[in-house]
Amino acid sequence: MTGNRAVAYKSAGVVEVIDIDYPTFELKDGPGVNPANVGRKVPHGVILKTVTTNICGSDQHMVRGRTTAPSNLVLGHEITGEVVEAGPDVEFIKVGDIVSVPFNISCGRCRNCKERKTGICLNVNPDRPGSAYGYVDMGGWVGGQAEYVLVPYADWNLLKFPDRDQALEKIMDLTMLSDIFPTGFHGAYTAGAGVGTTVYVAGAGPVGLAAAVSAQLLGAAVVIVGDLNPERLAQARSFGCETIDLTKGEPGEQIEQILGVPEVDAGVDAVGFEARGHGKDADHEAPATVLNSLMTITAAGGALGIPGLYVTGDPGAKEKAAQVGSLSIRLGLGWAKSLSFTTGQCPVMKYNRQLMMAILHDKVQIAKAVNAQAISLEDAPRGYAEFDAGAATKYVLNPNGYVKG
């Protein structure tokens, strides 16, 4: 038995590294754990020694106090690890394997899982379809921003890397497979990015940058990224994207300056419910802004991929309707233009193996695109603070020293 250190949400704007229990093959009561999950046996699970675990923009929503997350909730749903213990029902995953963990927890047995809809598994969260590690209202599975973490349904959930040495050499890229790379790819793919298309990505945070890289990987002719943050826009330009500064106003006119027309074939919302206005309104929240602007600038018959997070409960919202996830979106415009919408959690397992192969065979450099930087677990509070302040960086926590240099 060994100790365990983890990053926990304490209160709005505050995270701390705390001591927690070493995982066992049973769900225990604790902050955020659904009472119906307490005592749940996990003989099909493994315990991972964390190789890398990343800070995500979705974590930031909780840390800003914009959800009902309880104090001491252990954070972290982007996990890569080494198997150190396997439950008695695990058959194919072995101790010593280096694996990527999809952020969505799924059983592999229910109707949705069998249809590859792993983001809305029916069996892992008693409250609603879909679950994730270290996230409010997602069943209470303990987060992975820790030295050790339990992963259920291991034979189903885990993506094993074929070669340990190669995996550790490319770990800063491979760590993105747990969430933001598949999520960004899902946004670009469901928006219809493909050979010769024009794509607009709203938001130049890590998911937006991953969506932009994914659109390029899918063959887009032009990828345009919009944001309010000049450092993040510079990061998008670093790998060949066009950019627009949304402090100057709505995106349509700037898109026309780039393409000759004020519209694109495919639109991606990588911002979510904490969106701000454009131009003179950029100093305050306007949660429907991105969705409405995308419906305006996406060509008739096009599609919107929406990997940006929208929630059913936002107690920090200024508008009463927005506090329950109700937004004033121009659905009539979307209907009139025959636009398609894809929302919800990315079904990571639909994409992660193919994206792993693209990384291993040098077809994409996702870590460079999102400006990944490894920091220690103890340095996580600084990483959260700098990311919240707009740093153009994807912070990768290195709890056990696997990442060298």
Side-chain angles (χ1 to χ4, degrees):
M1 186 65 66
T2 184
N4 197 11
R5 298 275 287 165
V7 180
Y9 168 74
K10 302 297 285 188
S11 61
V14 180
V15 298
E16 291 181 7
V17 181
I18 64 172
D19 291 305
I20 65 169
D21 291 337
Y22 184 83
T24 65
F25 295 106
E26 178 181 328
L27 275 184
K28 305 291 179 61
D29 197 8
V33 178
N34 189 300
N37 263 349
V38 174
R40 184 171 181 165
K41 301 293 192 294
V42 192
H44 42 70
V46 298
I47 294 171
L48 299 182
K49 185 176 183 180
T50 305
V51 173
T52 51
T53 177
N54 315 327
I55 296 175
C56 180
S58 299
D59 298 319
Q60 286 285 17
H61 293 308
M62 289 188 291
V63 171
R64 291 184 187 120
R66 298 298 295 266
T67 70
T68 56
S71 181
N72 285 324
L73 179 75
V74 175
L75 300 168
H77 56 270
E78 300 190 9
I79 309 163
T80 306
E82 178 177 6
V83 178
V84 292
E85 293 185 49
D89 290 351
V90 177
E91 186 174 0
F92 304 111
I93 293 293
K94 305 298 182 186
V95 170
D97 287 345
I98 304 291
V99 295
S100 178
V101 185
F103 79 89
N104 17 52
I105 304 168
S106 56
C107 71
R109 296 153 164 80
C110 71
R111 171 182 174 177
N112 285 347
C113 285
K114 290 177 179 180
E115 294 177 355
R116 303 182 77 190
K117 301 173 184 175
T118 53
I120 43 174
C121 173
L122 300 174
N123 289 331
V124 288
N125 183 356
D127 280 340
R128 63 173 74 115
S131 188
Y133 303 89
Y135 213 86
V136 60
D137 297 331
M138 286 292 189
W141 299 88
V142 176
Q145 287 176 14
E147 293 171 326
Y148 297 90
V149 63
L150 170 69
V151 173
Y153 302 103
D155 283 327
W156 165 254
N157 278 306
L158 295 180
L159 175 67
K160 176 185 172 182
F161 300 136
D163 181 87
R164 178 189 178 90
D165 291 340
Q166 184 187 32
L168 292 176
E169 180 184 345
K170 293 181 175 289
I171 195 62
M172 292 295 283
D173 291 290
L174 294 171
T175 190
M176 306 304 164
L177 291 172
S178 57
D179 182 357
I180 68 159
F181 195 11
T183 293
F185 189 92
H186 181 62
Y189 179 79
T190 56
V195 175
T197 55
T198 57
V199 181
Y200 173 68
V201 179
V207 169
L209 296 174
V213 168
S214 298
Q216 293 174 338
L217 192 62
L218 287 162
V222 182
V223 180
I224 304 169
V225 179
D227 204 289
L228 304 165
N229 182 320
E231 291 184 4
R232 291 183 171 182
L233 291 175
Q235 185 62 31
R237 289 192 295 272
S238 74
F239 57 93
C241 296
E242 300 284 349
T243 60
I244 58 177
D245 180 354
L246 294 173
T247 65
K248 297 180 179 178
E250 295 293 329
E253 183 177 335
Q254 296 180 70
I255 289 172
E256 186 172 17
Q257 292 173 1
I258 296 168
L259 298 178
V261 292
E263 63 182 18
V264 293
D265 300 317
V268 180
D269 174 0
V271 178
F273 75 101
E274 287 192 74
R276 307 187 80 80
H278 297 157
K280 60 182 176 57
D281 297 321
D283 61 345
H284 66 268
E285 282 191 20
T289 298
V290 172
L291 292 172
N292 287 332
S293 67
L294 284 174
M295 283 190 279
T296 301
I297 64 170
T298 302
L304 275 60
I306 309 174
L309 175 67
Y310 289 88
V311 293
T312 56
D314 176 12
K318 295 180 180 178
E319 299 175 6
K320 190 170 183 179
Q323 292 177 3
V324 293
S326 181
L327 307 181
S328 298
I329 62 171
R330 296 187 64 190
L331 187 59
L333 176 62
W335 189 94
K337 294 176 73 174
S338 295
L339 299 177
S340 301
F341 301 76
T342 301
T343 65
Q345 287 187 36
C346 163
V348 170
M349 293 174 69
K350 187 174 181 178
Y351 308 109
N352 63 350
R353 184 186 176 277
Q354 297 96 313
L355 295 176
M356 174 189 75
M357 296 298 287
I359 289 170
L360 294 179
H361 294 278
D362 299 318
K363 299 302 181 185
V364 64
Q365 293 181 302
I366 182 66
K368 183 177 180 181
V370 301
N371 192 27
Q373 177 183 327
I375 60 175
S376 70
L377 187 74
E378 300 294 333
D379 217 13
R382 175 181 68 84
Y384 269 97
E386 292 181 0
F387 188 40
D388 188 52
T393 305
K394 175 68 172 178
Y395 287 101
V396 175
L397 303 182
N398 180 28
N400 292 300
Y402 285 88
V403 181
K404 306 302 179 184

